[in-house]
Amino acid sequence: MEQTRPAFYKIFVADLDRAATFYAECLGFSEQRRVDAGPFEEVILIPAQTGAALVLCRWSDGRALENGNAHGPVGFYVGQLDSTMEQMKGAGATVTFGPVDFSGARMAILTDPDGHQLELIEKGD
């Protein structure tokens, strides 16, 4: 049996271009392709190194987005937590929690411009 691994994480956003720029500039993702599927459009972003893709999706009918409480943050390992947080804040994110040190690592939770929670983790030495 082939080993199962995450392929992508999908989040819905109001503005595809703004969201794609946010994730590219703040976390180093690059656009792989765009898909127009009729009822929705997607931008598929890939990480600079190996890992799951991030799919940004926008409903074509312009429906309002509602962020529920039945999911946790999307997690990202980062090289420099503090500088990444500052860059994200400058791009419209807000700090929800942290940063805090725990188990030899630092972490913080931010909310992106569309209201999605992002957990950033800087591994310790």
Side-chain angles (χ1 to χ4, degrees), residues 10-90:
K10 183 181 288 191
I11 58 175
F12 283 82
V13 299
D15 183 324
L16 284 174
D17 291 329
R18 182 198 69 214
T21 298
F22 177 85
Y23 286 96
E25 290 181 357
C26 296
L27 293 173
F29 280 85
S30 60
E31 186 173 321
Q32 182 182 40
R33 67 184 165 154
R34 288 182 179 242
V35 176
D36 185 347
F40 60 89
E41 299 173 75
E42 293 181 340
V43 174
I44 300 166
L45 303 174
I46 55 173
Q49 297 181 12
T50 60
L54 178 62
V55 179
L56 306 174
C57 192
R58 184 187 71 79
W59 292 110
S60 299
D61 63 11
R63 71 183 73 172
L65 301 177
E66 297 178 22
N67 293 321
N69 63 358
H71 62 86
V74 178
F76 298 97
Y77 288 115
V78 298
Q80 300 292 324
L81 180 70
D82 294 323
S83 62
T84 302
M85 285 180 59
E86 289 305 313
Q87 187 172 16
M88 289 179 133
K89 286 172 22 183

